[in-house]
Amino acid sequence: ELQLVESGGGLVQPGRSLGLSCTASGFTFGDYAMSWFRQAPGKGLEWVGLIRSKAYGGTTEYAASVKGRFTISRDDSKSIAYLQINSLKTEDTAVYYCTRALGTGWPFDPWGQGTLVTVSS
Amino acid sequence: DIVMTQSPDSLAVSLGERATINCKSSQSVLYSSNNKNYLTWYQQKPGQPPKLLISWASARESGVPDRFSGSGSGTDFTLTISSLQAEDVAVYYCQQYYSTPYTFGQGTKLEIK
């Protein structure tokens, strides 16, 4: 069964760092670009960034709002995508979702259930 | 950045009636070399992740009921639910994947009248 499972969320103080993981199963992970999105409580969806497959250089792109603080990486041998968040701000409070696409310019499907990150002192 | 604007923000429709949600992009998401519109529609129910309903503006995903349809091209798109069912209560988002940053409409909350 095709599945994406996020983990690593929790309550974190402002200024601290947090690492999220997205563990994939049911498909050939290395063939896909992986992307992270987030949704603040009661708000809409926001794209965070993506990492391309190794076939397309494994390069990353980020939303301007997170560039420099967020880092996406992948371990194809473990079928895991990572999101490292540094210098957390209260406005980073959100459910973080991972999803996959065949590449940039392809739709994202499916999405994981998400992991909640709460930034508060 | 491509700005996506949905209308209306909320919508109440009677069971069995048609629901129509519009989405407008600030620039065309039609890629001329392949004549495809890089536009998806997602359905999100409370406490759940988004579910892909339609990609390429009009291609219904496998398993999505045929009462859902997408139309439009360029900058103007529509999601239509031909006969509203109780399980269709959700927030619906359009999203462009033409270029990064990928952007969403603000969402349309669909309720039963």
Side-chain angles (χ1 to χ4, degrees):
Chain A
E1 180 192 358
L2 201 162
Q3 199 171 18
L4 297 168
V5 178
E6 302 91 340
S7 60
L11 175 62
V12 187
Q13 292 180 326
R16 304 296 290 266
S17 298
L18 191 67
L20 306 182
S21 299
C22 170
T23 302
S25 59
F27 65 98
T28 305
F29 181 79
D31 288 348
Y32 287 81
M34 298 301 295
S35 193
W36 289 89
F37 292 80
R38 68 182 179 181
Q39 187 170 36
K43 302 298 184 183
L45 296 160
E46 179 187 16
W47 175 71
V48 169
L50 64 83
I51 185 166
R52 294 178 177 84
S53 66
K54 291 289 194 295
Y56 289 90
T59 54
T60 53
E61 290 192 48
Y62 300 95
S65 58
V66 307
K67 197 170 185 178
R69 293 194 301 121
F70 287 31
T71 302
I72 298 174
S73 58
R74 63 189 298 156
D75 185 335
D76 290 354
S77 68
K78 295 181 179 178
S79 296
I80 299 177
Y82 301 97
L83 176 64
Q84 177 69 28
I85 308 174
N86 297 328
S87 304
L88 276 155
K89 305 177 181 181
T90 55
E91 52 264 40
D92 295 323
T93 294
V95 175
Y96 285 75
Y97 297 103
C98 72
T99 181
R100 67 162 196 175
L102 276 172
T104 50
W106 285 87
F108 293 99
D109 181 61
W111 294 47
Q113 285 296 315
T115 187
L116 175 62
V117 173
T118 303
V119 184
S120 175
S121 54
Chain B
D1 298 3
I2 299 176
V3 177
M4 308 297 290
T5 304
Q6 289 180 229
S7 61
D9 290 336
S10 63
L11 182 61
V13 175
S14 300
L15 289 173
E17 296 299 304
R18 178 184 299 259
T20 301
I21 299 170
N22 300 301
C23 174
K24 188 174 184 68
S25 57
S26 61
Q27 62 189 76
S28 177
V29 297
L30 173 64
Y31 194 38
S32 56
S33 66
N34 60 11
N35 201 38
K36 286 189 171 185
N37 289 283
Y38 286 57
L39 188 284
T40 55
W41 288 98
Y42 289 96
Q43 175 193 64
Q44 188 178 33
K45 297 181 179 181
Q48 295 185 19
K51 175 187 175 183
L52 180 62
L53 296 177
I54 289 170
S55 56
W56 311 110
S58 60
R60 193 184 310 115
E61 294 299 304
S62 174
V64 173
D66 61 7
R67 63 180 179 274
F68 290 90
S69 63
S71 62
S73 185
T75 62
D76 292 279
F77 302 91
T78 300
L79 174 69
T80 301
I81 307 172
S82 60
S83 176
L84 189 71
Q85 304 299 304
E87 60 265 32
D88 300 336
V89 169
V91 178
Y92 292 84
Y93 295 93
C94 61
Q95 181 227 339
Q96 65 81 18
Y97 50 102
Y98 182 89
S99 65
T100 58
Y102 300 129
T103 48
F104 293 84
Q106 77 275 20
T108 296
K109 187 174 185 179
L110 178 58
E111 299 173 313
I112 304 294
K113 185 187 291 184

